[in-house]
Amino acid sequence: MEHKAIRAIISGGGTGGHIFPAISIANKLKELNPDTEILFVGAEGKMEMEKVPAAGYEIKGLPVAGLQRRMALSNFALPVKIAKSISMAGKIIDGFKPDIAIGVGGYASAPLLWKASMKGIPTLIQEQNGFAGLTNKILGKKAGKICVAYEGMERFFPAEKIVITGNPIRKEIVAPTAEMRAEAIRHYGLTEGKKYLLIVGGSLGCRTLNESVTGWIEAGCPGGGDIEIIWQCGRYYKADMDKFMEKARLKTPGGLPFIHNSDFISRMDLAYAAADVVVSRSGASSISELCAAHKASIFVPSPNVTEDHQTHNAMALVRKDAAMMVSDAKAREELMETACSLIADTEKTAMLEKNIALLAKADAADAIAEEIYKLV
């Protein structure tokens, strides 16, 4: 297919799980034709307003906000914000004159894609999760194509519009080679010959995962004899975790040298390469990366997300013997015991690695780009 220069608006955001796939799609479109022009539209004050310019793209913000599930004064201002956002979206579209509007989920995409549909501009939705969000369910009725990562999405969208493409991921996340693993061991200062457990709860951190680890340390690290841990505790919890580890190291003979905690892991490709087992939340992007990296994984779904979609994401893999799951409510008691048992069971880790690898879709950005060009 010829990849002519096009003008595309990409809308959505709110979390890294929405933003990084959006940037991957933009990068692929620019790779196919460097003359393609791309404008992002996000929600004012959300992380896309920082992450998108850092990736080299222009972004405009809308005042739209999400409905708070608890009674909150901000809900009363919502109709005004939505009306203003729809008006602004129309002006953005008139000014930029896109060939296509692409929505990646999150409430910021609603005004933009709705207005684009009204103006006769082709629209495409990329739904990352196994349980579609409200915004995408509404927009899906008018969209030209809906790119998904999971089977069974006919529950939410018209079947004839669905294309299974997978979720776009960072291009450096690949199945690790022996050379990558050796580099990772050097990079993180790990001890040769150990088993390595990666615990990652997002860039801000995850209270449940952190308390699961600290409780295990306080109990004397049962079952952790041959395990070395790379632990991303998150920026939000860094100070508290540093204080905890300082006291724990003073109390423990030898000083816990097998635990490497940091607020943020910049070389996630190397962290995956080192890991024999990964403990993670089950956001769509995290799952897609772990599939691409062929990692035996234990998911702890966040209970604080719309429609409990992280549990749906994790169960899609658990049902195929491609991952394990521990609920958030049981994680503090069971997570580290489960992780230590799994890392010691080479037969089970090999099975999980084999099965999760079968679900990897490394060419998701290419497939989505092709669907964009078909619509244009």
Side-chain angles (χ1 to χ4, degrees):
M1 182 183 292
E2 181 194 353
H3 298 114
K4 64 180 182 180
I6 62 172
R7 298 175 69 81
I9 288 183
I10 302 178
S11 182
T15 67
H18 289 132
I19 297 160
F20 297 126
I23 291 171
S24 294
I25 294 168
N27 289 344
K28 176 53 64 174
L29 291 174
K30 291 291 279 185
E31 181 186 315
L32 292 174
N33 192 315
D35 293 329
T36 283
E37 294 194 34
I38 295 167
L39 175 66
F40 280 78
V41 174
E44 289 175 354
K46 294 296 183 181
M47 66 185 290
E48 59 263 29
M49 303 307 292
E50 173 194 338
K51 298 293 184 185
V52 169
Y57 296 101
E58 182 186 357
I59 186 167
K60 293 185 182 293
L62 300 177
V64 66
L67 181 70
Q68 299 298 313
R69 302 206 162 211
R70 64 187 188 282
M71 285 297 291
L73 287 173
S74 59
N75 285 340
F76 293 102
L78 201 56
V80 174
K81 289 184 174 181
I82 290 172
K84 186 177 179 183
S85 295
I86 290 171
S87 174
M88 289 173 66
K91 290 174 183 173
I92 290 169
I93 290 167
D94 291 343
F96 187 71
K97 295 180 172 56
D99 297 303
I100 190 164
I102 302 154
V104 295
Y107 44 78
S109 63
L112 195 288
L113 264 72
W114 186 71
K115 203 70 178 177
S117 294
M118 287 181 64
K119 291 175 178 288
I121 294 162
T123 61
L124 176 143
I125 291 171
Q126 200 261 319
E127 172 57 65
Q128 292 106 19
N129 294 294
F131 197 96
L134 178 62
T135 300
N136 277 354
K137 280 191 278 189
I138 294 168
L139 295 171
K141 294 169 186 171
K142 298 271 189 183
K145 279 289 180 209
I146 301 156
C147 297
V148 302
Y150 293 91
E151 297 168 352
M153 299 301 284
E154 298 83 4
R155 292 177 295 160
F156 311 108
F157 303 118
E160 69 277 6
K161 295 182 179 183
I162 295 172
V163 184
I164 297 181
T165 58
N167 287 324
I169 60 170
R170 293 173 281 190
K171 61 183 179 182
E172 64 268 23
I173 307 299
V174 295
T177 61
E179 291 78 10
M180 282 177 69
R181 185 174 167 95
E183 182 186 352
I185 290 169
R186 289 193 300 271
H187 180 82
Y188 288 104
L190 303 175
T191 308
E192 291 277 1
K194 295 264 191 176
K195 294 289 185 76
Y196 310 117
L197 174 65
L198 171 63
I199 300 170
V200 55
S203 58
L204 295 179
C206 168
R207 182 189 297 276
T208 298
L209 297 190
N210 289 343
E211 290 181 355
S212 299
V213 178
T214 56
W216 179 73
I217 292 170
E218 286 174 333
C221 307
D226 288 322
I227 298 173
E228 202 150 344
I229 297 174
I230 304 169
W231 170 27
Q232 179 178 284
C233 62
R235 294 188 193 120
Y236 186 79
Y237 298 98
K238 178 69 162 67
D240 288 342
M241 292 303 100
D242 281 350
K243 286 177 189 172
F244 172 85
M245 287 303 297
E246 189 178 342
K247 289 179 183 175
R249 286 188 170 107
L250 289 173
K251 288 181 187 175
T252 309
L256 301 172
F258 55 91
I259 298 176
H260 307 263
N261 67 302
S262 62
D263 59 334
F264 183 70
I265 296 172
S266 57
R267 289 297 305 273
M268 192 57 77
D269 57 328
L270 292 183
Y272 287 149
D276 293 286
V277 168
V278 179
V279 171
S280 172
R281 287 300 203 191
S282 47
S285 290
S286 297
I287 286 182
S288 295
E289 290 194 347
L290 289 164
C291 289
H294 302 183
K295 290 289 116 177
S297 304
I298 302 169
F299 293 116
V300 184
S302 170
N304 308 312
V305 294
T306 310
E307 307 283 4
D308 195 25
H309 67 248
Q310 287 205 3
T311 297
H312 293 278
N313 292 350
M315 284 305 301
L317 277 74
V318 172
R319 282 192 288 266
K320 295 181 178 181
D321 288 328
M324 296 178 67
M325 186 180 89
V326 174
S327 72
D328 189 89
K330 294 180 178 178
R332 291 165 182 84
E333 290 75 40
E334 298 179 8
L335 178 60
M336 292 304 291
E337 180 185 347
T338 303
C340 291
S341 297
L342 176 59
I343 212 165
D345 189 341
T346 52
E347 194 173 308
K348 187 162 186 177
T349 55
M351 177 199 74
L352 293 175
E353 288 170 355
K354 178 185 173 186
N355 291 342
I356 201 169
L358 296 173
L359 304 177
K361 290 188 178 292
D363 59 350
D366 300 77
I368 293 166
E370 291 304 320
E371 294 303 324
I372 289 167
Y373 271 96
K374 287 177 190 175
L375 285 176
V376 170

